[in-house]
Amino acid sequence: MSGAVRVPSAGAGLHGGVPPGERLRVLLVEDDEGDAFLVGELLAETNSMIDLLVATSLSEARQRVMGVDCVLLDLGLPDAQGLDGLRRVLEMASGAAVCVLTGRSDEHLGIVAVAEGAQDYLVKGQVDGVLLTRALRYAVERKRADENARRLREVELRQAESARLERGLLPQPLMTTDEVSVHTFYRPGRHAALIGGDFYDVVQTQPDRIDLIVGDVCGHGVDEAALGVELRVAWRALVLAGVPDDEVLPALEQVLMSERRLQEIFATVATTRLDLASARATVRLAGHPPPLLLSGGKVAPVPAKGGLLLGVRPRRPVAFDLEFDTDDWSLLMYTDGLIEGRVDGGDERLDVPGLTGLLADPANRAVPLAELPAWLVGRAEQINGGPLADDVAMLLVTRGSGR
């Protein structure tokens, strides 16, 4: 007996106690034609709303299992016997519930079958139509509940993993001075709110010297985030160890090239060394957008050379010396997720000039400096017409009034 049997959805033989629900597709794997006919008759006695498909062997079941809600399995088949057949069915029908229907009234075997992953163990001759229908529907619901619990657990694990990576990517600034303030910001892109490879760090090595970094590893996911953590930690170690300024980014590039999983992976980085005593800063860019300087009521990108991406062709970035004309200024460092949004739904991107215009807007004068990064993201999303696609990380370091 092979094929599909459409069990009636209503009839005079309706029994009470059958759980209602949507129509189910059940695959009966049974080589005995008489037993298969009996199962169809039992289901026809009730308002089962079950479409029964029959396979006489495991190999035939493999071809028909796609899209079924439940597999009703006999443990004695021509090509599989006992628990071996159950294990193979569980493997091939990972999304479906599996119930054992056998002529062997063996309590120990039933316990083992359920422990292996079956939702129920039924004995031929000991079930009627109502019991069989109820068992199939309950099995499907238990399987769905198990799948929902598994997916919830996976989400919780991913969230915990992201939280651990976020702590590595976005540390607390290591600084004690009160001559400047540092405001940090991070927001994941719209892709499932998973953390990406954006990172930042702030380290004070002397009373009047502070180092800052903002970086972005290409791609999204755990591997990219982990690589971002490695780069940030390596940068902090290099700075604290007193490695000469010109050697820090080349050493960071060596870490990237040795730790990346694919040769195509690269990173962009912007670093700034603040010398508060001399009112100067040294900026180095490796394929990263330039910081923006807010001072004297004006906003302008720091005209440092862009340099090459880290991991493409090793080359030492060119240092740019920036002099502060006043003790009231802010320096905004950011990742490119902030400037890659579209403008009014067109093909044009916000880019550095657009971001400069947002910062120059008199409307932001009323925004406290600590809230300015979030305000910028909000404005960029308004212009983009929705959430930004990429992650955004920002460092805003300010001195005096900050503007």
Side-chain angles (χ1 to χ4, degrees):
M1 178 178 179
S2 178
V5 179
R6 187 176 180 85
V7 179
S9 60
L14 178 63
H15 290 257
V18 177
E22 80 278 17
R23 179 170 290 276
L24 300 181
R25 285 171 55 85
V26 174
L27 175 62
L28 172 64
V29 188
E30 170 65 73
D31 65 328
D32 187 299
E33 188 172 337
D35 286 347
F37 177 80
L38 180 60
V39 169
E41 288 295 305
L42 289 175
L43 294 177
E45 293 176 0
T46 68
N47 185 23
S48 61
M49 295 181 66
I50 290 175
D51 293 334
L52 185 67
L53 294 83
V54 180
T56 58
S57 66
L58 213 58
S59 58
E60 184 181 352
R62 188 179 301 276
Q63 301 172 8
R64 313 197 65 177
V65 72
M66 183 68 67
V68 303
D69 301 294
C70 183
V71 177
L72 192 55
L73 174 68
D74 181 24
L75 294 183
L77 297 171
D79 52 354
Q81 292 291 321
L83 294 177
D84 176 63
L86 173 61
R87 296 187 187 103
R88 290 164 64 183
V89 167
L90 289 169
E91 182 180 353
M92 74 171 69
S94 58
V98 177
C99 289
V100 172
L101 179 62
T102 180
R104 300 168 61 181
S105 180
D106 186 334
E107 182 178 350
H108 175 71
L109 180 62
I111 294 173
V112 175
V114 172
E116 288 281 347
Q119 267 68 47
D120 209 339
Y121 184 90
L122 306 171
V123 179
K124 295 177 181 178
Q126 296 184 11
V127 294
D128 58 15
V130 173
L131 179 59
L132 179 58
T133 300
R134 183 184 296 117
L136 293 175
R137 289 202 171 274
Y138 286 175
V140 170
E141 292 306 317
R142 282 195 297 273
K143 179 65 175 180
R144 290 173 179 172
D146 291 344
E147 287 295 306
N148 289 337
R150 180 185 61 80
R151 283 193 290 267
L152 177 60
R153 179 59 178 161
E154 288 178 351
V155 170
E156 290 174 343
L157 289 173
R158 284 197 299 268
Q159 289 176 338
E161 187 174 60
S162 293
R164 288 194 299 271
L165 289 170
E166 183 174 341
R167 287 193 294 271
L169 290 167
L170 317 174
Q172 289 295 319
L174 184 61
M175 55 181 286
T176 58
T177 183
D178 56 4
E179 290 192 45
V180 297
S181 300
V182 175
H183 308 290
T184 62
F185 180 90
Y186 175 80
R187 176 175 294 178
R190 64 187 175 202
H191 39 77
L194 294 177
I195 199 164
D198 291 15
F199 61 93
Y200 60 67
D201 204 352
V202 180
V203 175
Q204 181 179 353
T205 54
Q206 296 179 13
D208 58 355
R209 193 171 77 182
I210 300 173
D211 285 271
L212 307 98
I213 187 171
V214 169
D216 183 4
V217 177
C218 71
H220 304 282
V222 173
D223 291 332
E224 289 75 12
L227 182 56
V229 173
E230 291 184 77
L231 294 180
R232 186 201 64 77
V233 172
W235 175 85
R236 176 177 281 204
L238 292 166
V239 170
L240 290 174
V243 173
D245 298 354
D246 286 337
E247 301 300 326
V248 172
L249 288 185
L252 202 63
E253 187 166 38
Q254 290 182 9
V255 174
L256 168 67
M257 296 175 70
S258 65
E259 295 296 326
R260 62 188 177 185
R261 61 184 177 85
L262 297 174
Q263 194 171 7
E264 296 78 18
I265 291 179
F266 60 87
T268 68
V269 168
T271 66
T272 299
R273 168 161 288 178
L274 295 176
D275 188 335
L276 301 179
S278 62
R280 298 171 62 90
T282 303
V283 177
R284 291 177 173 85
L285 303 179
H288 204 84
L292 299 184
L293 176 64
L294 293 74
S295 180
K298 297 180 181 179
V299 183
V302 175
K305 290 188 177 181
L308 293 177
L309 308 165
L310 295 186
V312 175
R313 192 176 71 204
R315 183 178 178 182
R316 185 174 280 105
V318 178
F320 177 83
D321 290 327
L322 173 67
E323 294 188 11
F324 299 107
D325 298 329
T326 174
D327 286 338
D328 297 310
W329 51 263
S330 290
L331 196 65
L332 177 68
M333 302 174 67
Y334 53 93
T335 54
D336 59 7
L338 180 61
I339 60 175
E340 288 187 341
R342 304 291 180 176
V343 176
D344 298 328
D347 295 330
E348 181 185 356
R349 296 190 181 275
L350 182 64
D351 217 337
V352 177
L355 180 60
T356 303
L358 288 181
L359 279 172
D361 186 346
N364 74 50
R365 286 281 184 172
V367 180
L369 287 170
E371 300 173 13
L372 188 58
W375 181 87
L376 285 172
V377 170
R379 291 287 292 114
E381 289 181 336
Q382 287 180 355
I383 296 171
N384 186 56
L388 298 174
D390 203 359
D391 308 319
V392 178
M394 279 186 270
L395 284 178
L396 179 66
V397 56
T398 69
R399 191 173 195 180
S401 68
R403 290 184 171 99

